[in-house]
């Protein structure tokens, strides 16, 4: 069966990553969390005391740092590695969340990460979630989903995620962070967050994760069926054989 690219874009804490991971697992596809890559760059710059406006040092850092994903055999999840070390917990902290949109708007950072993401998905058979997958990274993705949800709902979800990791943050602080990130992501010059014209909208405000996963899988099934039918028609001189 033909392998495709599934692009899941949208706002923070809509369930993009959880949904994308589950879809990838169901299909046996690779999962790439592009947001984690920008978080890793943010962490690297902070740990190396590189100012966000120091473009020469940022460009040098992008050449020196190594970002990859390693599968955790116990959890079955891909975990982000920065220079060979798993940094999954550190990149999810609020201090990174507060700065990642600023870092991801730097053109040099954007170009470097997009190029790496395109290399990761060049053989297709991948599920990517982020802000610009369906518009910039893979505008030819066969399935595109744009996820959204009410900001308070998103903040409550994010609060639960942080609590599991032992970080207690007020909902009001998270709402402020999300609104700031939404604005920065949507108004930046380089690859702004926007819904691709051919992306289906998925509002997850009142949806469970299983429902979100089923929604995406239904889109995938319909797309694969259409592709198979089209290929069959070509082989049979335009006549679709079922």
């Amino acid at each position: 069966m033909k392998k495709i690219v599934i692009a899941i874009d949208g706002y923070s804490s809509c369930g993009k990553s959880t949904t994308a991971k589950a879809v990838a697992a169901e299909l046996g596809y690779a999962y790439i969390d592009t947001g984690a890559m920008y978080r890793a760059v943010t962490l690297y710059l902070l740990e190396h005391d590189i100012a966000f406006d120091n473009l020469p040092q940022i460009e040098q850092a992008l050449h020196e740092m190594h970002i990859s994903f390693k599968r955790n055999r116990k959890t079955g999840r891909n975990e982000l590695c920065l220079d060979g070390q798993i940094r999954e917990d550190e990149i999810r902290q609020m201090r990174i969340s507060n700065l990642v949109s600023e870092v991801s708007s730097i053109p040099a950072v954007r170009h470097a990460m997009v190029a790496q993401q395109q290399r990761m998905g060049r053989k297709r058979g991948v599920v990517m979630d982020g802000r610009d997958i369906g518009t910039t990274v893979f505008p030819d993705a066969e399935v595109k989903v744009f996820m959204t949800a009410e900001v308070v709902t998103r903040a409550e979800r994010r609060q639960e995620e942080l609590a599991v990791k032992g970080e207690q943050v007020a909902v009001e602080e998270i709402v402020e962070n999300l609104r700031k990130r939404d604005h920065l992501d949507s108004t930046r010059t380089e690859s702004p967050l926007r819904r691709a014209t051919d992306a289906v909208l998925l509002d997850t405000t009142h949806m469970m994760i299983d429902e979100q996963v089923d929604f995406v899988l239904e889109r995938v099934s319909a797309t694969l069926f259409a592709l198979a039918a089209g290929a069959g028609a070509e082989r049979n001189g335009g006549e679709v054989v079922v």
Side-chain angles (χ1 to χ4, degrees):
M1 183 176 293
K2 178 181 175 65
K3 289 190 175 182
I4 63 175
V5 172
I6 302 165
I8 302 179
D9 291 308
Y11 298 98
S12 301
S13 301
C14 290
K16 294 193 308 296
S17 295
T18 304
T19 298
K21 289 174 187 175
V23 169
E26 183 72 23
L27 298 173
Y29 277 22
Y31 164 65
I32 299 173
D33 180 355
T34 64
M37 297 171 71
Y38 290 103
R39 286 174 173 270
V41 175
T42 304
L43 179 63
Y44 186 97
L45 297 182
L46 290 175
E47 292 186 338
H48 289 78
D49 296 319
I50 298 175
F52 297 168
D53 59 355
N54 191 329
L55 298 184
Q57 285 194 12
I58 289 174
E59 290 177 352
Q60 182 63 32
L62 290 168
H63 285 295
E64 294 176 351
M65 73 176 71
H66 180 66
I67 296 173
S68 61
F69 291 92
K70 182 178 181 180
R71 186 173 180 80
N72 185 319
R73 293 182 178 179
K74 293 182 179 179
T75 63
R77 297 177 178 178
N78 283 346
E79 296 181 335
L80 182 130
C81 294
L82 179 60
D83 293 335
Q85 299 295 317
I86 294 176
R87 307 299 299 275
E88 189 68 29
D89 290 339
E90 292 96 321
I91 65 170
R92 305 297 175 182
Q93 295 173 349
M94 275 299 293
R95 70 184 183 109
I96 302 299
S97 297
N98 287 331
L99 297 170
V100 65
S101 289
E102 183 178 352
V103 171
S104 64
S105 68
I106 300 171
V109 173
R110 205 86 210 166
H111 295 163
M113 295 301 102
V114 168
Q116 185 169 344
Q117 291 154 16
Q118 289 174 333
R119 287 194 297 271
M120 290 177 172
R122 67 180 180 273
K123 295 182 179 180
R124 311 192 86 76
V126 297
V127 183
M128 285 193 184
D129 74 275
R131 303 288 191 280
D132 61 346
I133 310 306
T135 56
T136 301
V137 183
F138 281 101
D140 62 341
E142 289 84 354
V143 173
K144 298 181 186 180
V145 178
F146 189 90
M147 294 175 65
T148 186
E150 294 177 1
V151 68
V152 174
T153 299
R154 292 158 54 202
E156 291 172 345
R157 291 172 179 171
R158 180 64 176 150
Q159 185 185 49
E160 291 177 4
E161 293 173 359
L162 292 168
V164 170
K165 295 178 172 63
E167 191 172 358
Q168 304 299 322
V169 184
V171 169
E172 294 77 12
E173 181 180 346
I174 300 175
V175 167
E176 182 180 354
N177 168 260
L178 291 176
R179 284 178 172 156
K180 177 183 176 182
R181 291 181 63 189
D182 290 349
H183 176 72
L184 290 173
D185 290 341
S186 301
T187 59
R188 67 182 177 228
T189 303
E190 198 72 30
S191 301
L193 167 65
R194 60 183 175 84
R195 177 184 172 187
T197 56
D198 54 347
V200 61
L201 182 65
L202 175 58
D203 188 330
T204 69
T205 303
H206 304 294
M207 294 180 73
M208 303 295 289
I209 289 296
D210 287 349
E211 295 175 301
Q212 297 170 200
V213 173
D214 288 344
F215 180 93
V216 177
L217 287 174
E218 287 172 6
R219 301 292 301 185
V220 172
S221 294
T223 299
L224 290 173
F225 178 82
L227 289 171
E234 288 182 7
R235 290 194 299 269
N236 291 279
E239 179 183 357
V240 177
V241 179
V242 180

